[in-house]
Amino acid sequence: MFIDGKWIDREDLEVINPYTLEVIKKIPALSREEVKETIDNAEKYKDVMKNLSIAKRYNILMNIAKQIKEKKEELSKILAIDAGKPIKQARVEVERSIGTFKSAAFYVKEFRNEVIPSDDKLIFTLREPVGIVGAITPFNFPLNLSAHKIAPAIATGNVIVHHPSSKAPLVCIELAKIIENALKKYNVPLGVYNLLTGNGEIVGDEIVVNEKVNMISFTGSVKVGELITKKAGFKKIALELGGVNPNIVLKDADLKKAVNSLIKGSFIYAGQVCISVGMIIVDESISDKFIEMFVNKAKELNVGNPLDEKTDLGPLISLEHAEWVEEIVKKSINEGGKLLLGGKREKAVFYPTILEVDKDNILCKTETFAPVVPIIRAKEEEMIDIANSTEYGLHSAVFTKDINKALYFAENLKFGGVIINDSSLFRQDNMPFGGIKKSGLGREGVKYAMEEMSNIKTVIITK
């Protein structure tokens, strides 16, 4: 892989097309010793990045954005083949990644130190890079979520060791080539960025436990996130771990708007988004009408090949995950869930699935990462308690025309984000993003990630 400015070409690890289940390519799976060696080499570039001028950081980030734009269609097709993302959704991800790098370039120039008022001393702060950032990224947004870690790390003057998901690494390999070109253009040593492919139990684990890595920025499962908190020691940690995101529909909601938004929030990229709709809690007085509209709208979705321009919903990332989802749906039905639509699987493709359940059903406690939506009928006074009963706390959403109710729910829902009149899927790349409870630690969003990836040094001068 791309290590200390050199490419390693081996065929250790098979990358599978989740739609065809065929091997696309074979890539290196690094050993623990190779990862250690890479981190040792990366350490020598810490001062290089720390002393890199604001102008060079800005130019590198803008150049990366420019190259991504030039390769938009190529990168989109890789996402469709490698991650199983419908091509029209893949193009959106590429566009977002361009914006993420541009946003980081903007904040390079706007990221400021602070002067602290004092009667008889000059007190000011300096923002300094943490050193080496270990970026561990998932399969579902392999390009943009990599951008959300790499761009702020460059902006704050950090060295990066990057481990992409072994399930969808190919677009990250192309991104590494783009970064290499940008570093060469501005005469920056290539070893400031290193891409480390392989098995998470080896590569990711070594990044987490290695004492020379100063911060871990991880997006992925709660299970792995909990392991990181136990193994990372005194490193800084930023974790984005997903959740079961409740979406509440009050009786005064614009039902057409709510249904359209919740269909997108439930089924885009086959539900494999950390802020996908986890459950819908609908006021019982409008539940019949809502369910009818929601089910009928879901029937219009096109399921199929991610490379087909008409496809709305492609495969899950692996056959194993699709089989697991199938079992969860069966358990839900055994617990009394009423299947309203779907429940069908073909290889790794799982069709849009809607169930009516009670609040204690397994689907209301489990992040399925699939196009599976449980609906709960409830009284308005019950909704907040039902929503807050989950152990997760990433995003929630409320549909209502009443601003007072919107603000009341926003104040009382225990989540990192509360979206009013749009689904929990909403995310703007420059906003603070992250959760509470088991949904993570810290915040992403370029400016906020830059704060996480830097340390504050306070300087006090006595007059």
Side-chain angles (χ1 to χ4, degrees), residues 219-234:
T219 300
S221 71
V222 171
K223 180 180 178 182
V224 176
E226 287 179 331
L227 287 173
I228 289 173
T229 63
K230 294 173 182 177
K231 292 185 172 186
F234 284 97

Side-chain angles (χ1 to χ4, degrees), residues 118-401:
S118 175
D119 290 336
D120 60 352
K121 290 179 173 56
L122 174 61
I123 304 175
F124 60 92
T125 63
L126 297 174
R127 283 275 182 181
E128 296 186 339
V130 296
I132 298 178
V133 172
I136 304 176
T137 55
F139 73 83
N140 59 336
F141 285 86
L143 184 60
N144 194 37
L145 290 183
S146 294
H148 269 285
K149 301 181 189 306
I150 295 167
I154 292 173
T156 45
N158 287 288
V159 174
I160 305 141
V161 289
H162 176 200
H163 174 53
S165 169
S166 59
K167 294 178 181 176
L170 299 186
V171 79
C172 294
I173 294 173
E174 295 307 310
L175 178 61
K177 295 174 183 176
I178 287 170
I179 294 170
E180 177 186 12
N181 291 336
L183 295 175
K184 283 181 177 178
K185 182 177 176 66
Y186 295 101
N187 298 313
V188 177
L190 301 182
V192 303
Y193 171 80
N194 301 274
L195 181 69
L196 309 176
T197 60
N199 296 307
E201 296 85 352
I202 296 171
V203 180
D205 186 70
E206 180 57 36
I207 290 172
V208 169
V209 301
N210 194 294
E211 292 182 357
K212 293 180 180 179
V213 176
N214 305 103
M215 177 180 174
I216 301 298
S217 180
F218 169 79
T219 300
S221 71
V222 171
K223 180 180 178 182
V224 176
E226 287 179 331
L227 287 173
I228 289 173
T229 63
K230 294 173 182 177
K231 292 185 172 186
F234 284 97
K235 292 180 177 65
K236 295 186 80 171
I237 304 174
L239 304 176
E240 197 279 278
L241 306 178
V244 179
N245 309 299
N247 287 246
I248 294 169
V249 183
L250 299 181
K251 62 184 176 183
D252 69 329
D254 181 331
L255 283 190
K256 183 177 179 180
K257 180 177 182 178
V259 166
N260 287 337
S261 177
L262 289 166
I263 286 290
K264 178 181 177 182
S266 300
F267 300 117
I268 198 168
Y269 190 40
Q272 297 175 114
V273 187
C274 60
I275 45 177
S276 288
V277 174
M279 58 178 162
I280 299 173
I281 307 167
V282 60
D283 191 288
E284 59 185 13
S285 67
I286 60 164
S287 55
D288 285 342
K289 182 64 174 175
F290 173 84
I291 290 171
E292 179 185 6
M293 292 173 65
F294 188 74
V295 171
N296 286 338
K297 192 71 177 177
K299 290 177 180 177
E300 298 175 7
L301 296 169
N302 294 313
V303 180
N305 190 333
L307 289 170
D308 190 328
E309 297 286 348
K310 296 179 181 179
T311 295
D312 300 306
L313 190 149
L316 295 176
I317 192 61
S318 68
L319 178 61
E320 293 76 15
H321 183 56
E323 291 172 341
W324 176 82
V325 172
E326 190 173 35
E327 289 304 311
I328 288 288
V329 170
K330 289 178 181 177
K331 288 180 182 178
S332 172
I333 294 170
N334 289 337
E335 290 180 5
K338 180 182 177 184
L339 185 65
L340 305 176
L341 181 70
K344 176 184 175 184
R345 178 181 68 84
E346 292 178 355
K347 295 183 179 179
V349 174
F350 205 89
Y351 281 73
T353 298
I354 303 168
L355 301 97
E356 185 180 334
V357 303
D358 62 41
K359 61 184 179 63
D360 297 318
N361 192 274
I362 189 172
L363 290 181
C364 301
K365 302 173 183 178
T366 307
E367 183 183 32
T368 60
F369 234 52
V372 177
V373 187
I375 299 177
I376 303 168
R377 302 176 192 246
K379 295 181 174 64
E380 185 175 314
E381 57 268 25
E382 302 172 323
M383 290 177 165
I384 289 174
D385 286 341
I386 294 171
N388 287 340
S389 65
T390 174
E391 62 184 353
Y392 303 101
L394 187 52
H395 268 196
S396 58
V398 181
F399 292 85
T400 179
K401 296 175 184 175

